[in-house]
Amino acid sequence: MRLAIIGFAIGAAWLQTRGTLPPLAWLLAAVVVVPLMWWTARRRLRAAWRGGVAMLAGALAGFCWAAWLAHGALAPQLAWADEGQDIQVTGTIDNLPYRFAQGVRFNFAVERPAGRVPPKIALSWYAGYRDQRAEVPDVRPGERWQLTVRLQRPHGNANPYTFDYEAWLLEQGVRATGYVRVARDNRLVDGFVLSAGNLIEHSRAVLRQRILDALPGKPYAGVIVALVVGDQRGIDQSDWQVFNRTGIGHLISISGLHITMVAGLFALATFTLWRRSFFTRAQLPLLLPAQKVAALVGAAVALLYVLLAGFGVPAQRTLYMLMVVAAALWLNRLTSISHVLCTALGVVLVIDPWAVLWPGFWLSFSAVAVIMYATVGRTTPPRAAAPRAQGGVAHAPAPLTYRERLWLTLRVGAHTQYAVTLGLVPLTMLLFGQVSVVSPLANAVAIPLISLVVTPLALIGSMLPAVLAGPLLVCAHWLVALLAQCLQWFSAMRYAVWSAPQPPFWLFCWATLGTLWLLAPRGWPVRWLGLATWIPLLAAEPTHPAPGRMTVTAFDVGQGMALLIETSGHRLLYDTGPAYSPESNAGNRVLLPYLRARGIHALDGVIVSHSDADHSGGALSVLEGVPTGWVLSSLSPHHAIARAARRHVQCAAGQRWRWDGVEFEVMHPQPDSYASHALKANARSCTLKITAAGKSLLLAGDIEAEQEAQLLERAADRLPADVLIAPHHGSGTSSTYAFLQAVKPRLALFLVGHRNRYRHPKQEVVERYRQLGITCLRTDQSGAITLEFGDDVTPSAYREAAARYWR
């Protein structure tokens, strides 16, 4: 059974790598094939073959089950004709709303119009949108509203090594996104619609509000909220950076450790009281054993806590493991921990096969598996290992003293932390391209403090009356603030994190085998040799093109521009994409995750073409997150980006440099243009031409027709290029016939956002390119686009190279 469940997980995971779903007829055929394979494995095959066939049957079952659910999840679709149209919907607030500076976000369960709109949509309600202004009401879970909305099909930016928003929406059951329009008909219909889901979400909202009311303006109130109801959206990005660098991010939520601790405390209290019949003469243990009652209470408490947590994967794993143990105890069929873990794995994937897409799934189950491998059967104290024999008569071992029990507990805890820290290194490198070196020290402080002190205080404080809750929550917050200061000190260490490129899968498997060797039991020969398998994992260098060649990555950052130019020994970032919110931008959402995953620890230069937010919005995050040699821009020396740069130079026509056989030339603006205050920022966009291996790329920023004419007048002979980044995202004020005829590109890239409000690129501009025989690619349709400059220019679109059935 364990091998079949592991096969089920492999099959479910494999489906999530497919670009298309299998036909439903194949899935129906599997209903016959899988039971036949299982019967054959159990009845007709030798024992040596049974495990392999059982795993194969499980893999086929997992693949087909996940495909069946995927077909059902993708079935509700918004019609193409309804995108961008005003639609009046009636339904209920379906989750815990998140309020931010510009408004509020929430999921909406649609009741009417049924069929036209998917049953679950994600909405944003802005205080102001374009020229509209309206007050955003305090929406709460379970309320029924009538709203006028504009919707679109699920769409997210598609870049390597970044968050897959479309997959996340699919897992949540959300099949359309949009925003609430300002309309007179928007109104609250019912204050609360009773249902199990609404009751849970309403309870979470009440607890969150109680915490926020008790901790007004406190910097770590979001952490307390996360520990109680699992809502992590109130934690600042800067705090997350510290938590992740120190390796304690798994504690800043309702983790399996917290659930086990709370369920264990309630189970222990129940066991003690039931065993003593609540200090009465009822003789309750004769009616029902105390162990079974404690298991039932522990499982019920765990279920309640997991519901408060929003049913995250680590919480699910712990819940199902506790449920399996409780069921086995009640049925008098207690089994091995490996059966419990595999059963929990199977239940998670039957309910949510998309869980395999997220790091939390792999880290959660892998951590438990590592603990099992490294500790089960190895932590029995010598005195309890065997009975003593005196005079030929065996005697039970003497009970451990308090000191010995304390020492044993510390020893087991230290060994467990050692095993988890080392055991997860290959997986952490595969998922994130970095591993926290200070994690053992940080966890040694954080685990007991968060799990044994802060979490109980936060839980009790959130449920007591306000007079009693305040002091407990303030105390919990004070402890978190104290811990945060300690973690900031750890995080500031020079080598707090070891980074390297995310490894290929074969290298991950090799390092995993070495780790298993390293954590093998005592007596295993030369265990330390397992560390040797980590050398290629931790010492890898990022890939780079050959001398004289160039690789260009045009990122899908929405309505904005960001390109990474790589030569054999240098890297240049041209523009940094837009700002999405006060805390979120293309720099920290797209560029930095990509650079870290590639193992790129520094940039030789950054060019910010001009000051518009869709080109400079991520610059400060990039400059803060990765060392940068210099910044070239058309910005004022007093601009925040110029002040943050180690060295800032204003771009001007005539600037040239050569890196590794690749030529760079700035073609615009003219130096005297900085004396004019009448010019728009677009008119001073840094225009750059790069030539590698006889092939060239022209990056035109946001120049418009007037600047194109100036380039034609003074540098027409140097304009021809094989690839053109379309000026101003393909607006109607750029890409004139004369300019395109002078550049003569074979390929043009339009860096635009999906359904952007400017309607870039303009249809007439695209037709102009096509009439001249120019191939056009768009980031909103292709995702990130990679160009390899060698003997020829070879483009690669991320949405094609990494096709998935939900995109």
Side-chain angles (χ1 to χ4, degrees), residues 565-577:
I565 298 98
E566 300 180 74
T567 67
S568 64
H570 296 80
R571 290 177 176 88
L572 171 70
L573 186 64
Y574 182 93
D575 278 339
T576 59

Side-chain angles (χ1 to χ4, degrees), residues 440-638:
L441 294 175
N443 276 280
V445 176
I447 287 177
L449 182 63
I450 293 293
S451 298
L452 300 179
V453 182
V454 174
T455 299
L457 285 175
L459 283 171
I460 297 171
S462 64
M463 297 179 185
L464 289 176
V467 176
L468 301 176
L472 292 180
L473 292 174
V474 169
C475 181
H477 182 274
W478 178 79
L479 291 173
V480 171
L482 196 65
L483 174 64
Q485 291 181 1
C486 178
L487 295 177
Q488 287 170 2
W489 183 76
F490 282 133
S491 176
M493 292 181 178
R494 183 175 180 182
Y495 296 108
V497 173
W498 184 274
S499 301
Q502 288 186 4
F505 189 71
W506 68 266
L507 182 55
F508 159 73
C509 293
W510 171 249
T512 300
L513 289 175
T515 304
L516 294 177
W517 188 284
L518 177 66
L519 296 177
R522 286 183 179 180
W524 197 268
V526 288
R527 290 184 297 170
W528 59 268
L529 279 180
L531 290 173
T533 63
W534 289 7
I535 295 175
L537 182 78
L538 300 177
E541 292 291 331
T543 57
H544 54 77
R549 298 178 178 246
M550 173 177 67
T551 300
V552 177
T553 303
F555 295 99
D556 178 15
V557 293
Q559 183 63 20
M561 187 176 294
L563 302 98
L564 179 66
I565 298 98
E566 300 180 74
T567 67
S568 64
H570 296 80
R571 290 177 176 88
L572 171 70
L573 186 64
Y574 182 93
D575 278 339
T576 59
Y580 307 126
S581 71
E583 286 193 347
S584 173
N585 54 68
N588 56 32
R589 293 294 187 185
V590 177
L591 303 179
L592 289 179
Y594 177 86
L595 295 175
R596 289 170 185 150
R598 287 276 314 279
I600 298 173
H601 307 309
L603 294 171
D604 295 279
V606 170
I607 296 180
V608 180
S609 63
H610 61 296
S611 60
D612 282 2
D614 58 332
H615 294 252
S616 63
L620 291 176
S621 293
V622 170
L623 294 177
E624 181 182 354
V626 62
T628 302
W630 46 259
V631 172
L632 189 70
S633 78
S634 60
L635 306 175
S636 161
H638 305 292

Side-chain angles (χ1 to χ4, degrees), residues 57-231:
L60 181 59
F63 181 87
C64 294
W65 175 255
W68 180 272
L69 292 183
H71 274 290
L74 291 173
Q77 293 284 0
L78 183 72
W80 294 108
D82 285 333
E83 283 196 311
Q85 302 298 314
D86 285 355
I87 303 175
Q88 189 176 85
V89 296
T90 302
T92 57
I93 309 298
D94 192 52
N95 73 333
L96 197 61
Y98 171 61
R99 186 166 289 275
F100 57 104
Q102 293 82 20
V104 64
R105 294 192 182 97
F106 52 88
N107 290 345
F108 196 71
V110 177
E111 299 170 343
R112 294 190 302 271
R116 182 183 178 188
V117 177
K120 190 174 182 180
I121 60 178
L123 294 176
S124 297
W125 197 335
Y126 296 105
Y129 188 79
R130 299 187 191 176
D131 57 343
Q132 299 178 329
R133 294 291 180 269
E135 183 178 349
V136 178
D138 183 19
V139 295
R140 298 178 182 179
E143 293 179 340
R144 178 179 281 132
W145 281 83
Q146 176 181 288
L147 302 171
T148 299
V149 300
R150 281 192 180 177
L151 302 173
Q152 66 177 19
R153 291 188 170 202
H155 185 93
N157 299 336
N159 298 280
Y161 311 116
T162 57
F163 180 71
D164 193 331
Y165 181 61
E166 293 176 47
W168 181 78
L169 289 176
L170 178 65
E171 184 187 30
Q172 301 297 312
V174 174
R175 300 309 303 145
T177 63
Y179 61 93
V180 178
R181 296 277 289 168
V182 175
R184 293 182 178 179
D185 294 335
N186 292 343
R187 61 187 180 90
L188 177 66
V189 178
D190 287 316
F192 185 76
V193 178
L194 184 62
S195 71
N198 289 343
L199 192 59
I200 292 169
E201 294 300 324
H202 180 75
S203 301
R204 297 178 71 208
V206 170
L207 291 177
R208 182 180 67 174
Q209 193 58 49
R210 286 171 60 86
I211 295 170
L212 296 177
D213 290 342
L215 302 172
K218 298 292 185 180
Y220 299 105
V223 174
I224 304 299
V225 170
L227 292 173
V228 174
V229 299
D231 182 14

Side-chain angles (χ1 to χ4, degrees), residues 629-807:
W630 46 259
V631 172
L632 189 70
S633 78
S634 60
L635 306 175
S636 161
H638 305 292
H639 195 283
I641 296 173
R643 295 200 309 269
R646 181 183 303 176
R647 176 179 169 229
H648 175 254
V649 178
Q650 288 186 322
C651 61
Q655 293 169 332
R656 291 183 177 86
W657 66 95
R658 181 183 179 90
W659 281 345
D660 312 309
V662 178
E663 301 286 345
F664 296 78
E665 179 185 2
V666 177
M667 305 189 69
H668 185 80
Q670 289 291 93
D672 57 7
S673 66
Y674 291 102
S676 173
H677 299 290
L679 287 177
K680 295 192 301 182
N682 288 353
R684 272 198 286 263
S685 290
C686 301
T687 301
L688 180 69
K689 183 177 180 181
I690 312 173
T691 304
K695 307 298 178 182
S696 54
L697 165 71
L698 184 62
L699 300 104
D702 275 0
I703 63 172
E704 299 182 342
E706 183 178 349
Q707 289 74 50
E708 292 177 358
Q710 294 172 6
L711 285 170
L712 288 172
E713 182 179 347
R714 68 173 185 267
D717 58 327
R718 302 200 305 278
L719 282 179
D722 297 274
V723 181
L724 172 66
I725 306 301
H728 204 181
H729 316 282
S731 74
T733 60
S734 303
S735 299
T736 61
Y737 267 114
F739 183 73
L740 295 181
Q741 288 173 335
V743 177
K744 302 175 185 175
R746 292 185 292 124
L747 175 66
L749 304 187
F750 293 92
L751 277 57
V752 294
H754 178 67
R755 293 182 54 81
N756 64 86
R757 63 175 180 169
Y758 306 105
R759 301 181 184 274
H760 292 162
K762 297 294 185 180
Q763 187 58 38
E764 62 271 20
V765 172
V766 175
E767 288 300 324
R768 193 179 303 157
Y769 278 82
R770 289 175 177 165
Q771 289 172 9
L772 294 172
I774 303 169
T775 301
C776 298
L777 293 177
R778 301 169 47 157
T779 53
D780 62 333
Q781 297 175 353
S782 301
I785 300 170
T786 301
L787 305 173
E788 299 285 349
F789 283 74
D791 297 332
D792 200 358
V793 180
T794 307
S796 172
Y798 181 70
R799 285 188 182 270
E800 296 177 5
R804 297 293 184 266
Y805 64 84
W806 56 81
R807 292 176 183 159

